[in-house]
Amino acid sequence: MRKAGAIVLGVSKDSLASHAKFRAKYELPFDLLRDEDNAVAKKYHAFGKKIMYGKEVTGTIRSTFLIDENGKLAAIWSPVKVDGHTEQVLAALRGVAPAKKSAAKK
């Protein structure tokens, strides 16, 4: 993503130790930030009710937010479908295809 001009950050409520293990295991080339009380996730509507294994639960909604160079929200993917997601984001960065916006509140 850096080659495409993007800075990538991961955010979750997991501990810093957990982040370090996860980052090492998957050789992630970007920083993971801690959101202990889900304040950031709630602000971006990435925490709330969702369906998991056919049941409604409250938790993190895996999401990607593309924020432009002016700090404006340019695209939202929520919930994220892992297959093909990287390609979707790269296409949006290149302006090749419009990003698919979710029904999530902005």
Side-chain angles (χ1 to χ4, degrees), residues 73-88:
L73 193 55
I76 302 168
W77 292 266
S78 183
V80 165
K81 303 287 186 214
V82 176
D83 289 340
H85 184 57
T86 301
E87 292 78 14
Q88 291 174 336

Side-chain angles (χ1 to χ4, degrees), residues 20-83:
K21 285 181 189 176
F22 186 80
R23 190 168 182 231
K25 179 179 179 178
Y26 293 101
E27 299 178 355
L28 300 178
F30 53 86
D31 292 329
L32 300 175
L33 308 176
R34 187 160 191 232
D35 183 23
E36 185 175 7
D37 58 1
N38 291 307
V40 173
K42 289 175 183 174
K43 181 91 173 167
Y44 280 85
H45 304 281
F47 184 88
K49 297 207 184 288
K50 63 182 183 174
I51 303 298
M52 186 177 230
Y53 304 113
K55 295 184 180 182
E56 186 176 86
V57 297
T58 300
T60 300
I61 302 165
R62 187 171 292 174
S63 306
T64 298
F65 302 93
L66 180 58
I67 301 168
D68 71 16
E69 60 275 359
N70 298 313
K72 290 192 163 207
L73 193 55
I76 302 168
W77 292 266
S78 183
V80 165
K81 303 287 186 214
V82 176
D83 289 340

Side-chain angles (χ1 to χ4, degrees), residues 1-21:
M1 293 282 181
R2 280 197 195 275
K3 289 180 184 178
I7 296 169
V8 176
L9 300 171
V11 181
S12 83
K13 70 178 193 171
D14 294 337
S15 70
L16 294 178
S18 173
H19 280 174
K21 285 181 189 176

